[in-house]
Amino acid sequence: QVQLVESGGRLVQAGDSLRLSCEASVRRFSNFAMGWFRQAPGKEREFVAAISRSGGSTHYTDSVKGRFTISRDDAKRTVYLQMNSLKAEDTATYYCAADICVAVECAPLVLREYEYDYWGQGTQVTVSS
């Protein structure tokens, strides 16, 4: 059973930085493409960032480009989301997600919510203005 546990969310002020972590209880973390999503109150969950299994490819939603950075540490089975220059509109519950692929050819990046196999419980980020 794959478990994803997010941490790092808290109340911060606009302009601050925050780093979210997501640790996976898996044997071979390198088999998983990872992503971050967020859901603000009253809104649907949206894609934030994704990283490939190798870590060599990343993708971001336009609203966070240049401010957020997704990275992974396979030895620690952890994916990170470094968030800089936070804005009030970044306030949301942030979820990490994992997509497993052990085939010979796997999609390098997974961008769509329905493509992910496993989800964490979320961590709350609140940005006060």
Side-chain angles (χ1 to χ4, degrees), residues 68-113:
F68 289 13
T69 302
I70 188 171
S71 62
R72 63 188 294 155
D73 184 337
D74 285 3
K76 295 182 178 180
R77 302 186 183 98
T78 299
V79 63
Y80 303 99
L81 185 67
Q82 177 66 43
M83 306 186 293
N84 298 329
S85 303
L86 282 162
K87 305 175 181 179
E89 49 263 44
D90 294 319
T91 295
T93 300
Y94 283 72
Y95 299 89
C96 76
D99 172 68
I100 185 171
C101 179
V102 295
V104 174
E105 292 187 9
C106 300
L109 287 169
V110 180
L111 306 182
R112 297 175 182 82
E113 186 173 340

Side-chain angles (χ1 to χ4, degrees), residues 1-20:
Q1 182 71 16
V2 175
Q3 288 191 325
L4 303 175
V5 179
E6 303 98 333
S7 62
R10 61 182 178 91
L11 172 64
V12 296
Q13 300 215 335
D16 284 354
S17 296
L18 200 59
R19 188 177 80 160
L20 305 183

